[in-house]
Amino acid sequence: MKKTKDNKKVIYWLLTGCVLIFIMVVVGGITRLTHSGLSITNYKLISGTLPPMNETEWQEAFDLYKQYPEYQKLNNHFSLEDFKDIYFWEWFHRVIGRFIGIVFIIPFLYFLIAKQLTKPTIKKAIILLCLGAFQGFLGWYMVKSGLVDNPDVSHYRLAAHLTTAFVTFAYTFWVALDLIFPSKKDINTSFRNLIRWGLAILLLQIIYGAFVAGLDAGFIHNHWPMMSEGKFMHETVYIEQSPLYKNFIEGKSGVQFVHRMLAYVVVIFIAVIWYKSKNLTLTKHQTLGINNLLILVGIQFLLGVLTILLQVPVWLGVVHQVGAFFLLSAMTFTLHRFSK
C-alpha cells in the first residue's frame, strides 16, 4: 500500500521536536540561573559530546576554565567539585542541542527519500533546519561574549538565543498544526489580526524576560505592585544609564520596569481577545485555545510576581520560563485555529 504524504509519522516527528525544544529551554534556564553557561570555554562538536571521563580530564577542563574571567573575577574560590556542578548543566544543554539536530535531520532525510513529504512541508522543514542551525550559532556567539573581559554574557545575545528557541518551537508547532488540521475554513481577519498583535506583544515580553535574566535584574526591586520604596517608577529606572533610552534596554531597573509594564499589557490584551471572542461563533478548538490563553496568562502573571517577591529562586525562575513557553504554545495554537 502506498504511504501517504505528510502522514502521522511526520506529525509525531514534528511534535517530538517541540518536546525536545521545550526540554532544551528548561535546561537552558537552569544553566543560566545556576551561572553554569561559561563553564565550558571551548566548542567541540563531536568530541565535546562526552564529558571528562577521569580525574585527569576533569583537571584539564578545570585548568582551562581558570584561564577565563569568570573564574579569575568571580569563582576563584571554586574547587574541582564546584566546577563539576556547573559543568554538568552546560554540558547537558549542549548535548540536548546536538540530539535535537539529529532528531530533526535524520528523520527529515528519511521522509525526503521515502517521498512522504509534500513540497510545502519540505520548504517548511528546511526553514526549521535553518532555524536550528542559527540557534546553535547564537549559543556559541552568546558564550563567546562572556569569555573576554566581563564574566557575563551579553544580555542582547542571551535574548537572541532564547527568543530564537521560542520562535523555532512556535514554528515547529505551527507546521505540525498545518498537518493536524489540513482543512481550510473561513477566517475572521480582524479577530485573527488581534491575536497576531497579541503574539507580537508576547514575543516582546519574552525578549524583555531574557533581558531581565541577562542583567540579573530580577534581584532588585523585589516588591509588588510597587517597586522599591513604594514607588510606581523608582528613580533608578531613568538615571542608571545615559542617554535616557539606554535605561530601558541596558539598565537593570529600567528593564525590570518595562518587563513589569508589559506583563499588564499582555494580560489586558489576552483579556480583550477572550472578551471579543464571546461575540463569535467558535469551534471546539478555538474555544479551547482562548480559554487556555486566559488561564495560562493568569498563572504566568502570578509566577512573575512570586519570582520578583522571592528574589528569583532557581526553581521558580525555571517555572516562570516554562510558563512563558506554555503561554506561547497556547497563543500559537489559538492563532492557527483562527488563521487556517
Side-chain angles (χ1 to χ4, degrees):
M1 189 175 78
K2 187 178 179 181
K3 294 180 180 177
T4 57
K5 293 190 175 184
D6 292 347
N7 53 48
K8 284 186 177 181
K9 289 181 181 178
V10 178
I11 295 171
Y12 292 147
W13 165 56
L14 291 167
L15 292 179
T16 299
C18 289
V19 172
L20 288 173
I21 295 170
F22 168 73
I23 294 170
M24 180 81 165
V25 169
V26 171
V27 174
I30 296 172
T31 301
R32 172 63 199 171
L33 290 165
T34 55
H35 302 284
S36 304
L38 298 177
S39 56
I40 303 177
T41 53
N42 56 8
Y43 191 84
K44 297 178 180 177
L45 183 61
I46 305 301
S47 60
T49 304
L50 294 176
M53 303 302 290
N54 53 55
E55 286 303 303
T56 301
E57 291 181 3
W58 273 115
Q59 192 59 54
E60 288 175 356
F62 191 28
D63 288 341
L64 184 61
Y65 176 66
K66 289 178 180 180
Q67 298 174 25
Y68 290 90
E70 184 172 79
Y71 176 82
Q72 295 166 358
K73 296 182 179 181
L74 295 178
N75 293 337
N76 48 35
H77 61 285
F78 263 29
S79 66
L80 181 58
E81 292 305 312
D82 294 324
F83 172 69
K84 287 180 179 180
D85 288 339
I86 62 171
Y87 187 99
F88 169 77
W89 286 113
E90 176 62 12
W91 169 80
F92 191 36
H93 188 52
R94 294 188 185 196
V95 166
I96 294 172
R98 291 179 175 92
F99 185 62
I100 289 175
I102 293 170
V103 167
F104 270 104
I105 292 170
I106 293 179
F108 171 67
L109 292 175
Y110 166 76
F111 290 133
L112 197 61
I113 293 168
K115 297 183 178 179
Q116 293 185 30
L117 301 174
T118 60
K119 285 186 178 179
T121 302
I122 291 171
K123 291 178 182 177
K124 293 170 188 174
I126 290 172
I127 293 172
L128 283 177
L129 293 173
C130 291
L131 280 171
F134 184 56
Q135 172 70 356
F137 163 77
L138 285 175
W140 167 82
Y141 187 59
M142 177 187 69
V143 169
K144 189 179 177 183
S145 68
L147 300 177
V148 187
D149 298 312
N150 180 27
D152 206 356
V153 299
S154 161
H155 71 292
Y156 292 119
R157 297 187 190 187
L158 173 67
H161 184 53
L162 179 65
T163 305
T164 304
F166 274 83
V167 169
T168 303
F169 164 82
Y171 188 67
T172 307
F173 190 33
W174 187 276
V175 176
L177 290 172
D178 279 347
L179 304 185
I180 295 169
F181 300 104
S183 58
K184 307 294 181 182
K185 60 181 182 299
D186 292 333
I187 297 169
N188 183 324
T189 54
S190 62
F191 193 75
R192 179 202 63 191
N193 292 341
L194 180 68
I195 301 172
R196 282 181 175 176
W197 277 106
L199 176 61
I201 294 167
L202 178 59
L203 285 172
L204 180 62
Q205 174 68 324
I206 288 169
I207 291 170
Y208 263 90
F211 281 0
V212 169
L215 293 169
D216 290 328
F219 296 97
I220 57 173
H221 304 300
N222 299 110
H223 309 276
W224 187 84
M226 300 299 175
M227 299 181 85
S228 298
E229 300 168 21
K231 296 177 180 178
F232 173 73
M233 180 189 283
H234 196 267
E235 58 268 17
T236 52
V237 169
Y238 48 84
I239 65 172
E240 280 184 27
Q241 303 285 330
S242 181
L244 179 65
Y245 78 89
K246 277 197 170 184
N247 286 285
F248 302 103
I249 53 175
E250 294 182 4
K252 291 186 179 185
S253 295
V255 163
Q256 193 200 100
F257 178 76
V258 174
H259 194 51
R260 284 172 176 249
M261 293 304 103
L262 281 174
Y264 292 113
V265 175
V266 171
V267 170
I268 291 169
F269 222 96
I270 289 177
V272 169
I273 290 171
W274 176 81
Y275 179 76
K276 285 185 173 291
S277 74
K278 296 300 173 186
N279 298 320
L280 304 176
T281 302
L282 305 179
T283 66
K284 178 180 68 173
H285 291 110
Q286 288 171 335
T287 302
L288 178 68
I290 288 175
N291 288 342
N292 281 337
L293 268 183
L294 194 66
I295 294 167
L296 288 169
V297 79
I299 294 172
Q300 180 65 352
F301 187 88
L302 177 62
L303 288 171
V305 171
L306 291 175
T307 302
I308 282 290
L309 291 178
L310 299 177
Q311 300 183 43
V312 201
V314 171
W315 71 269
L316 189 51
V318 172
V319 171
H320 186 46
Q321 186 165 295
V322 168
F325 206 95
F326 280 118
L327 187 56
L328 178 65
S329 303
M331 187 69 83
T332 302
F333 178 83
T334 304
L335 178 59
H336 191 278
R337 290 298 73 225
F338 282 94
S339 298
K340 295 187 176 184

